[in-house]
Amino acid sequence: MAVKIAISGFGGRMGRALAQAVTQAQGVELSAAVVRPGSSLVGADAGEVAGLGRSGIAIVDSLAEADFDVLIDFTAPAATLDNAAHCAKQGRPIVIGTTGFDAEQKEKLLSHAGTIPLCLASNFSTGVNLCFSLLETAARVLGEESDIEIVEAHHRHKVDAPSGTALSMGEVVASTLGRDLDRVAVYGREGQTGARERDTIGFATVRGGDVVGDHTVMFMADGERVEITHKASSRLSFARGAVRAALWLKGRGLKGEELDGDRAAGHYDMRDVLGLN
Ligand code: NAD
């Protein structure tokens, strides 16, 4: 039987990409589409809103009205916290793509991993998760002898900075080098900054146009420089990854085939899904 997927944040940019990814994937079916309370989309046909033809699924504005096996949530931190609490009560796994949680919100969110399987990733694309592994190697080999800087670019509508992906890249590099990112991160520079301190990890943010998401990590040593770059050209790359994560939480493969049963409660990320951890 197909895994029933509810999408929260259906009215957003990722919501539409997720609808397309669910439609294209094997072994899953869209069972509910949830938008923010009071949205004008309530009652409309989810498939038609996503430009995919009639689906027979009416959009709702409360998760309590949704029937699903796994929730995929790409909304905003406060909404995701409510949705994760609902999933924990109902014993349903959740895939979370929302970024921009503060430390307290993240702790609250992760507390639900004691009750349900929770897959949280700042970036669900396969390529970015491969980059995390490449970054570990680069940091191990070059990290102590190079200056490390992370540059990211996104579309003009993005509300948090630096991106969750850039922060995750910084965390991978910092933890490989035994550094605490909170202590070594430098978020932008202006004025009389003084010379660069070797152990810092710098972040620079670019916003504009319709850039889906570009990230470059630079390892700059004397005489040579290595740059690891990922460029997303379509939100479908994130959406397909999130659907793959939903299948994985239910013990299914990419084609929806039964593999090894439901995951136990716990905190997972996309590297777990891809077998990279
Ligand atoms: P968006 O602003 O286009 O969409 C967010 C949607 O969530 C909006 O339609 C909003 O109305 C809706 N929403 C708010 N509260 C809600 C609620 N209580 N219930 C249901 N819907 C609610 O943003 P987007 O570009 O789609 O991105 C959404 C989130 O996903 C952001 O945090 C973004 O950074 C993140 N994101 C993550 C990845 C990843 O791979 N992890 C990729 C892209 C975007």
Side-chain angles (χ1 to χ4, degrees):
M1 247 177 44
V3 176
K4 288 188 280 181
I5 305 280
I7 297 173
S8 178
F10 195 84
R13 286 175 287 264
M14 277 304 299
R16 280 150 212 249
L18 286 161
Q20 200 177 336
V22 168
T23 306
Q24 289 172 354
Q26 295 177 43
V28 291
E29 65 182 21
L30 183 68
S31 64
V34 189
V35 293
R36 69 176 159 71
S39 164
S40 59
L41 292 174
V42 172
D45 184 87
E48 284 175 356
V49 166
L52 300 167
R54 196 166 168 72
S55 63
I57 294 164
I59 294 177
V60 295
D61 65 357
S62 163
L63 200 51
E65 296 174 52
D67 169 37
F68 62 96
D69 297 319
V70 183
L71 174 66
I72 302 182
D73 183 290
F74 282 65
T75 54
T80 301
L81 279 174
D82 289 347
N83 291 340
H86 178 87
C87 286
K89 250 191 225 145
Q90 300 295 318
R92 299 278 189 276
I94 181 169
V95 173
I96 299 166
T98 304
T99 62
F101 298 100
D102 63 28
E104 197 181 323
Q105 288 172 320
K106 194 155 179 192
E107 198 185 328
K108 214 181 235 177
L109 187 64
L110 293 183
S111 71
H112 297 301
T115 315
I116 51 168
L118 181 155
C119 184
L120 172 69
S122 58
N123 193 308
F124 275 96
S125 89
T126 308
V128 157
N129 285 278
L130 170 63
C131 284
F132 290 148
S133 296
L134 300 176
L135 286 169
E136 267 174 10
T137 305
R140 237 187 348 261
V141 177
L142 288 168
E144 294 302 350
E145 63 186 64
S146 53
D147 297 321
I148 302 166
E149 298 277 317
I150 301 174
V151 184
E152 58 101 342
H154 279 86
H155 54 89
R156 65 172 75 90
H157 305 289
K158 186 161 177 63
V159 295
D160 52 321
S163 70
T165 303
L167 290 170
S168 298
M169 289 177 159
E171 272 159 17
V172 167
V173 170
S175 73
T176 304
L177 293 169
R179 298 179 198 169
D180 175 359
L181 188 64
D182 288 341
R183 290 171 52 111
V184 300
V186 175
Y187 298 110
R189 299 185 178 91
E190 190 190 19
Q192 293 298 311
T193 58
R196 189 186 195 288
E197 285 178 36
R198 172 45 66 83
D199 277 0
T200 55
I201 297 175
F203 289 83
T205 295
V206 177
R207 289 287 176 266
D210 60 356
V211 180
V212 174
D214 292 356
H215 294 86
T216 295
V217 182
M218 303 175 188
F219 294 84
M220 293 172 279
D222 291 333
E224 63 177 338
R225 176 164 96 232
V226 169
E227 297 187 357
I228 295 176
T229 294
H230 179 271
K231 295 186 183 196
S233 52
S234 162
R235 287 185 178 81
L236 262 182
S237 59
F238 313 128
R240 285 202 189 102
V243 172
R244 185 168 175 172
L247 279 166
W248 183 83
L249 289 175
K250 295 299 289 177
R252 310 282 188 98
L254 252 186
K255 294 185 175 158
E257 69 275 25
E258 300 268 358
L259 293 178
D260 44 8
D262 291 8
R263 300 287 142 202
H267 171 199
Y268 303 100
D269 65 21
M270 192 58 188
R271 294 171 84 191
D272 294 312
V273 175
L274 296 174
L276 291 170
N277 268 342

